């Protein structure tokens, strides 16, 4: 099991809250491919969430990446497979046109912002194509995602962003309604405006575990769960020595795909990627009750800088998370906090009666919280993921810092990292947005800037 003996290394706790996705664990959840650790491998990946699993999948299954040699890959996970942020998220595969994209436009120019927005849309289409081609049983539902504004100040802040981006090609898919019609269109009580565009929802744990199973079936991947990494050093022959509580592995390359925990082994990222807790719920309706059908997924802007996210499940239940406005001021509960065994006190009762008070027609639905859990995300200082070669650390790469928004970002980033490894391609030549590249300048900006950056 993951140990707490090395808490300075930012390791996951042993006893996390149980998300609804993992109430029926996959056979590979606690899997170890071999009883003992392999002595060597070509590539070692730390973290068996979306970033780590998508990378290993593309390394051994990526038909369009190329490369002639077969790689031996070891993937190490401190707890069970997909037990971190990916296995605890809200199931949204939702490109975020109006969260960080306007920020990128102001900082890097409209062209860079458009590149990132188009990249997220491409991720959405790539995941949809992958699920359908591989016939992955993961409840993928392609739908519209609706942002409902119930707060005038938030709406006033949002409108200039819409106007800034309105001329971009991807906005052809976008609808924006202001006024009385917003409440009836969205179904959200008190909605002053609503927007919508194409997105999807998914059963994230099933999706990742299918990819992991597929990678293991190639015979080139060794999975070792409950094996936290506690150190990395250089061997005299130039290889890297990865230290775990169960022994050592020599490898040619290490990929840090452990998101909010990366600073434990890469202390230079202490200010760049901060572990931040979030909370999520599973709401069900009693069999004898009838509730209105929800087909959209949602972002609901409730207060100044406050929002909830929601997806309807195929079984009629609802996943709702967010509510950071309720606990943002209590930093110790969430900021730089890796204890996902404890609920966030300030918001643990927030979801009681949520559907009844938020959506029209749900007043007598009897909807109630069935499961409630927390998760640890990796929030970056500048709201951008860190992808590529770790500066000044030869043969170490990073794929982390997804700001609670990894589902629409990670797949193509992992594919790019796999191509860099298989073909020796430079970051600039794998088709990823340039602003995602991890650099010493970004690391130093986080170290020398005000605490928290975009997070606080």
């Amino acid at each position: 099991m993951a140990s707490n003996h090395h808490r300075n290394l930012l390791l996951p706790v042993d006893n996390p809250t149980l998300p609804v996705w993992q109430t029926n664990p996959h056979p590979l959840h606690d899997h170890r491919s071999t009883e003992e650790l392999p002595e060597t491998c070509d590539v070692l990946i730390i973290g068996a969430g979306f970033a780590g699993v998508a990378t290993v999948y593309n390394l051994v299954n990526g038909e369009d990446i190329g490369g002639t040699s077969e790689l031996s890959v070891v993937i190490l996970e401190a707890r069970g497979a997909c037990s971190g942020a990916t296995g605890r998220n809200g199931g949204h595969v939702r490109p975020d046109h109006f969260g960080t994209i306007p920020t990128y436009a102001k900082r890097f120019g409209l062209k860079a912002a458009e590149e990132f927005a188009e990249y997220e849309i491409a991720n959405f289409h790539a995941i949809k194509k992958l699920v359908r081609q591989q016939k992955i049983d993961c409840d993928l539902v392609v739908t519209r995602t609706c942002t409902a504004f119930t707060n005038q100040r938030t709406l006033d802040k949002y409108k200039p962003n819409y106007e800034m981006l309105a001329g971009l090609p991807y906005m052809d898919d976008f609808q924006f309604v202001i006024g009385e019609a917003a409440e009836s269109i969205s179904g959200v009580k008190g909605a002053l405006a609503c927007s919508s565009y194409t997105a999807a929802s998914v059963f994230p744990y099933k999706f990742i575990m299918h990819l992991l199973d597929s990678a293991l079936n190639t015979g080139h991947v060794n999975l070792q769960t409950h094996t936290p990494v506690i150190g990395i050093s250089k061997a005299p022959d130039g290889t890297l020595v990865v230290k775990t509580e169960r022994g050592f592995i020599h490898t040619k390359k290490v990929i840090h795909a452990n998101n909010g925990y990366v600073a434990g082994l890469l202390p230079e990222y202490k200010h760049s990627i901060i572990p931040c807790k979030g909370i999520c719920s599973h709401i069900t309706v009693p069999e004898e009750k009838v509730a209105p059908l929800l087909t959209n997924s949602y972002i609901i802007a409730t207060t100044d800088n406050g929002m909830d996210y929601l997806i309807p499940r195929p079984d009629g239940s609802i996943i709702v998370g967010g509510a950071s406005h309720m606990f943002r001021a209590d930093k110790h509960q969430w900021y730089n906090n890796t204890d996902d065994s404890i609920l966030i006190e300030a918001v643990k009762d927030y979801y009681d009666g949520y559907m009844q008070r938020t959506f029209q027609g749900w007043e007598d639905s009897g909807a109630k919280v069935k499961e409630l859990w927390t998760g640890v995300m990796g929030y970056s200082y500048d709201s951008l993921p860190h992808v590529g070669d770790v500066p000044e650390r030869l043969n170490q790469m990073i794929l982390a810092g997804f700001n609670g928004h990894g589902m629409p970002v990670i797949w193509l980033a992992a594919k790019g990292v796999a191509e860099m490894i298989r073909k020796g391609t430079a970051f600039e030549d794998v088709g990823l947005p340039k602003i995602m590249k991890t650099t010493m300048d970004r690391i130093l900006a986080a170290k020398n800037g005000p605490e928290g950056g975009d997070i606080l």
Side-chain angles (χ1 to χ4, degrees):
M1 298 295 288
S3 170
N4 290 334
H5 297 160
H6 307 279
R7 292 307 299 155
N8 59 314
L9 287 178
L10 215 61
L11 293 173
V13 299
D14 292 340
N15 55 334
T17 50
L18 182 65
V20 65
W21 313 118
Q22 296 174 35
T23 50
N24 294 304
H26 191 279
L28 293 175
H29 188 83
D30 299 312
H31 182 74
R32 287 178 178 172
S33 300
T34 54
E35 186 176 341
E36 302 296 330
L37 294 180
E39 293 182 0
T40 63
C41 65
D42 294 316
V43 181
L44 187 144
I45 298 173
I46 303 171
F50 193 3
V53 170
T55 302
V56 75
Y57 179 91
N58 279 292
L59 280 171
V60 298
N61 277 339
E63 297 176 359
D64 52 348
I65 290 175
T68 55
S69 61
E70 292 182 343
L71 294 172
S72 61
V73 185
V74 171
I75 184 164
L76 301 181
E77 170 57 52
R79 298 192 300 212
C82 198
S83 65
T86 306
R88 300 172 171 276
N89 71 30
H92 248 155
V93 186
R94 177 186 182 274
D96 185 11
H97 299 337
F98 307 103
T100 53
I101 301 302
T103 300
Y104 300 159
K106 292 167 187 173
R107 291 181 185 172
F108 309 111
L110 195 58
K111 184 176 180 181
E114 180 183 1
E115 180 184 35
F116 203 95
E118 295 283 4
Y119 168 78
E120 290 197 1
I121 294 169
N123 265 276
F124 161 73
H125 288 294
I127 289 174
K128 182 175 67 173
K129 179 180 178 181
L130 175 71
V131 169
R132 290 177 175 170
Q133 282 186 342
Q134 301 298 323
K135 296 180 172 58
I136 301 175
D137 175 18
C138 62
D139 298 346
L140 178 73
V141 177
V142 177
T143 183
R144 302 286 287 183
T145 184
C146 175
T147 301
F149 297 89
T150 62
N151 178 275
Q152 186 64 51
R153 283 187 294 271
T154 303
L155 176 58
D156 291 342
K157 196 163 77 172
Y158 169 90
K159 282 191 286 188
N161 292 339
Y162 168 69
E163 292 161 2
M164 179 198 314
L165 304 175
L168 298 180
Y170 71 81
M171 293 292 287
D172 290 347
D173 183 45
F174 187 82
Q175 295 177 331
F176 189 33
V177 175
I178 299 178
E180 292 181 7
E183 188 167 351
S184 58
I185 291 172
S186 67
V188 175
K189 296 178 181 179
L192 306 171
C194 64
S195 63
S196 74
Y197 54 89
T198 304
S201 64
V202 72
F203 196 124
Y205 180 69
K206 282 185 177 180
F207 174 55
I208 299 308
M209 297 308 283
H210 179 100
L211 298 181
L212 182 58
D213 193 16
S214 177
L216 290 175
N217 284 336
T218 65
H220 302 302
V221 179
N222 187 307
L223 168 67
Q224 295 288 327
T225 62
H226 303 288
T227 307
V229 176
I230 56 178
I232 300 173
S233 59
K234 281 186 180 178
D237 64 359
T239 61
L240 296 170
V241 182
V242 176
K243 180 182 180 182
T244 80
E245 294 181 339
R246 299 172 53 223
F248 298 85
I249 304 176
H250 288 251
T251 184
K252 297 174 184 176
K253 192 173 289 285
V254 169
I255 301 173
H256 297 263
N258 50 340
N259 204 24
Y261 300 92
V262 292
L265 296 166
L266 298 174
E268 60 267 42
Y269 285 88
K270 178 181 179 182
H271 303 283
S272 298
I273 300 177
I274 308 293
C276 295
K277 272 175 66 171
I279 194 162
C280 196
S281 69
H282 177 222
I283 296 174
T284 60
V285 176
E287 289 185 9
E288 68 275 12
K289 296 283 188 175
V290 177
L293 177 67
L294 292 183
T295 56
N296 296 327
S297 69
Y298 284 87
I299 295 289
I300 302 173
T302 53
T303 63
D304 293 358
N305 299 316
M307 61 176 55
D308 302 322
Y309 58 83
L310 179 153
I311 67 163
R313 295 275 302 124
D315 63 4
S317 65
I318 307 290
I319 304 293
V320 187
S324 62
H325 59 287
M326 298 286 291
F327 58 83
R328 189 176 287 117
D330 299 319
K331 277 179 58 179
H332 70 281
Q333 292 197 53
W334 65 276
Y335 182 80
N336 210 7
N337 186 325
T338 58
D339 191 352
D340 55 7
S341 70
I342 298 173
L343 297 176
I344 299 174
E345 188 67 25
V347 74
K348 65 182 178 63
D349 299 324
Y350 177 76
Y351 301 102
D352 293 340
Y354 182 88
M355 298 303 295
Q356 290 89 330
R357 67 177 182 266
T358 305
F359 284 90
Q360 295 174 346
W362 281 74
E363 293 82 1
D364 299 319
S365 65
K368 60 182 179 180
V369 175
K370 187 175 181 183
E371 287 96 6
L372 191 62
W373 65 92
T374 52
V376 177
M377 300 165 283
Y379 272 80
S380 66
Y381 178 85
D382 55 11
S383 296
L384 284 163
H386 282 264
V387 181
D389 293 313
V390 177
E392 301 180 6
R393 288 187 185 260
L394 189 63
N395 293 321
Q396 296 192 52
M397 302 182 75
I398 188 171
L399 182 59
F402 300 108
N403 304 285
H405 188 61
M407 294 303 291
V409 174
I410 290 173
W411 175 252
L412 292 180
K415 194 172 184 179
V417 167
E419 183 179 337
M420 291 179 222
I421 295 170
R422 292 296 316 234
K423 299 171 71 174
T425 311
F427 177 96
E428 289 76 11
D429 298 322
V430 295
L432 300 180
K434 297 176 182 62
I435 57 177
M436 286 172 60
K437 183 179 181 180
T438 191
T439 64
M440 186 56 71
D441 284 346
R442 290 180 63 194
I443 292 171
L444 292 175
K447 181 180 179 181
N448 299 326
E451 182 191 24
D454 290 346
I455 307 166
L456 297 174

